[in-house]
Amino acid sequence: VVVTAATAAPGVTSPVAYCQNAAAVPLTAAGTNLLWYTTATSGTGSATAPTPSTAAGGSTNYYVSQTTACGEGPRAVIAVNVTATPAAPGVTSPVAYCQNATATPLTATGINLLWYTTATGGTGSPTAPTPSTAAGGSTNYYVSQSTNGCEGPRGVIAVNVTATPAAPGVIAAAGYCQNAAASQLTATGTALLWYTAATGGTGSSTAPTPSTATAGTVNYYVSQSANGCEGPRATITVTITAIPAAPAVTAIFTYCQYTTATQLTATGTNLLWYTAPTGGTGSSTAATPSTATAGTITYYVTQSNSCGESPRAVINVVTTPTPAAPAGLTVSGITINSAVLNWTVVSGLYYSVEYKEATASIWTTVASNITTGTAALSNLNRGVTYNWRVSANCAAVSNTNYTTGQFTTINRNSTITNLKNGFGIKISPNPVRVSAIVDYIVPGNGTVSLALLNRTGQQLAVLYSANQAAGQYQFNITNQLYLLPAGTYFIRLQQNGKGITARFIKGIN
């Protein structure tokens, strides 16, 4: 007797999971002569394994049995679970930023979020992106959520970056005269905001009206906005020009009668000159005062700018009568090569002094426009008659109202004070220019020599050599020194190997 075991249920894998609308495959089981049912009992089995439907979410049971020699066994159950497709996550769209603003990571409401940069395809990231605001424009970001590993459709978030608007169009500069009526500033743009500073502060939607009370320059600033994004500020410079003041002048000019006056001057712009305090037609050419008549003449001058003509500044030109020629001319301290000229001083006058040899035609100026009554002459020639003259004026300008005097220099003083061992020597004049006289004394009889030495004692020439007896003599130097450069020299007097030396200064010829 063979007893065969009862038929067991086939081997199955349960449950089987699908996402909604996923492609399903026929069910499988491990056994022989399989029969598939849709119910746990009864019904007619099918030898063909069913393919589950994923059209809708939910759970469906399928049943399967196997048949052996002992007949059909019990049915095994396979649960097929279809997970419904989750909805797109909840999002807020669009998200708006201004260009270069600081952005924050995007957000959505859902579970197991995945973020994408395209509407389909690609690989999702669990990390929410932070939008770039470097450039203006619109960018779409996408996000999905998943349930039981089943991903739903993607929600879209539009990120709109508003480009920074340009500065509004303005007239960069505006000008007004001081205290003139000003008009409200204008600019071309949208959602304008007005400021008093280049940065910071709170803008006003009302355009300002400049104040013209004070001269100077004031800057105003204005911006425009797009979608709440404010752009840079444009600058409007408002210049308030002051009504000009009277030009700067020297209030008084003083001239002596008949002297040459100079053209009047003033510091200002667009000068106009008048001869009356009011009225008349101004001249752009400044007057040159006449000094022919003593007295005071008043001139007037204005300046102008774009805001009009200034008040008139006053210039008084005073012409003083020509003073009398100087008096009291005397000459003191006359020597062989110098003299002191003197005259009577009148307070407030200026004097000019000249001299020349009586036979010459050209005058030499000693002093110009001095207020003292003396002038010293030097480097004169001995025994020469000189003419001199002095003029007076009421200003430091030369005049021709001369008083003339004359004097003669001393020919020479032959007294010798430079004595040694009976020898004596004197040079007149000293300094020497071209000619001079050498007075000398020798104590005995014999050959007398006069030698020219330089400052180091080197002999340059023998000026004179002859046999003389004891006594006082003179020797005339004419052109022997002409070629010598200016400097210090000596003349050595010798007789019988003894003598004396005298120093002199050679001047410029």
Side-chain angles (χ1 to χ4, degrees):
V1 175
V2 178
V3 178
T4 303
T7 304
V12 297
T13 299
S14 180
V16 175
Y18 285 102
C19 293
Q20 188 176 3
N21 296 318
V25 295
L27 297 176
T28 62
T32 58
N33 301 314
L34 297 175
L35 288 176
W36 296 89
Y37 300 88
T38 57
T39 60
T41 61
S42 73
T44 302
S46 172
T48 302
T51 299
S53 171
T54 62
S59 182
T60 303
N61 289 334
Y62 294 85
Y63 303 91
V64 62
S65 68
Q66 65 176 330
T67 302
T68 65
C70 291
E72 185 179 4
R75 301 177 186 178
V77 63
I78 301 175
V80 177
N81 297 327
V82 178
T83 300
T85 302
V91 297
T92 300
S93 181
V95 176
Y97 286 103
C98 295
Q99 187 175 3
N100 297 318
T102 301
T104 58
L106 298 177
T107 61
T109 302
I111 59 175
N112 301 317
L113 298 176
L114 287 177
W115 295 88
Y116 299 85
T117 58
T118 56
T120 60
T123 302
S125 170
T127 302
T130 299
S132 170
T133 62
S138 183
T139 304
N140 288 336
Y141 296 84
Y142 303 89
V143 60
S144 70
Q145 64 176 328
S146 297
T147 303
N148 296 328
C150 296
E151 187 176 4
R154 301 178 186 180
V156 62
I157 301 176
V159 176
N160 297 327
V161 178
T162 300
T164 301
V170 297
I171 297 174
Y176 292 98
C177 293
Q178 191 173 7
N179 298 321
S183 57
Q184 194 175 38
L185 297 179
T186 60
T188 303
T190 58
L192 297 176
L193 287 176
W194 295 87
Y195 298 87
T196 57
T199 58
T202 302
S204 170
S205 59
T206 303
T209 299
S211 169
T212 62
T214 304
T217 298
V218 179
N219 287 334
Y220 296 85
Y221 306 88
V222 59
S223 69
Q224 65 174 328
S225 297
N227 298 327
C229 296
E230 188 175 5
R233 302 177 188 180
T235 303
I236 302 176
T237 300
V238 177
T239 301
I240 309 302
T241 302
I243 298 171
V249 298
T250 300
I252 298 178
F253 285 90
T254 301
Y255 291 100
C256 291
Q257 193 172 9
Y258 302 119
T259 58
T260 301
T262 58
Q263 192 177 36
L264 296 177
T265 61
T267 302
T269 57
N270 304 316
L271 299 175
L272 287 177
W273 296 86
Y274 298 86
T275 57
T278 58
T281 302
S283 171
S284 59
T285 302
T288 300
S290 170
T291 61
T293 304
T296 300
I297 300 176
T298 303
Y299 297 86
Y300 306 87
V301 60
T302 67
Q303 65 173 328
S304 300
N305 62 15
S306 58
C307 292
E309 188 175 4
S310 73
R312 300 182 185 183
V314 178
I315 301 176
N316 289 310
V317 178
V318 179
T319 301
T320 302
T322 300
L329 274 63
T330 60
V331 181
S332 60
I334 299 174
T335 67
I336 61 174
N337 56 8
S338 64
V340 178
L341 309 179
N342 308 283
W343 59 93
T344 300
V345 172
V346 176
S347 178
L349 297 187
Y350 298 83
Y351 300 94
S352 296
V353 186
E354 299 173 325
Y355 79 101
K356 68 180 184 69
E357 291 187 4
T359 57
S361 59
I362 298 176
W363 291 87
T364 299
T365 300
V366 180
S368 296
N369 305 316
I370 61 175
T371 57
T372 58
T374 182
L377 302 179
S378 60
N379 296 323
L380 302 176
N381 294 322
R382 68 179 188 277
V384 175
T385 299
Y386 289 89
N387 291 336
W388 67 286
R389 62 186 185 182
V390 58
S391 66
N393 207 352
C394 56
V397 180
S398 297
N399 201 0
T400 58
N401 58 341
Y402 294 109
T403 301
T404 303
Q406 191 176 75
F407 68 92
T408 302
T409 57
I410 298 173
N411 188 29
R412 70 186 180 87
N413 180 1
S414 60
T415 302
I416 300 173
T417 59
N418 183 18
L419 298 171
K420 181 180 179 182
N421 299 325
F423 290 90
I425 188 170
K426 178 181 180 181
I427 304 170
S428 303
N430 191 1
V432 179
R433 287 195 291 176
V434 177
S435 61
I437 296 177
V438 179
D439 291 290
Y440 62 93
I441 299 172
V442 291
N445 299 325
T447 301
V448 175
S449 66
L450 294 172
L452 175 64
L453 310 178
N454 64 18
R455 63 188 301 170
T456 64
Q458 180 183 10
Q459 181 173 303
L460 302 179
V462 176
L463 301 177
Y464 174 77
S465 180
N467 190 43
Q468 289 181 323
Q472 181 170 337
Y473 301 89
Q474 72 178 45
F475 172 75
N476 291 327
I477 297 176
T478 54
N479 295 319
Q480 295 94 327
L481 307 180
Y482 185 81
L483 297 178
L484 288 180
T488 301
Y489 296 89
F490 297 88
I491 292 181
R492 182 176 62 202
L493 168 65
Q494 280 190 320
Q495 184 184 51
N496 300 326
K498 297 181 180 181
I500 192 173
T501 300
R503 183 175 69 89
F504 70 94
I505 303 299
K506 170 63 171 61
I508 299 173
N509 297 335

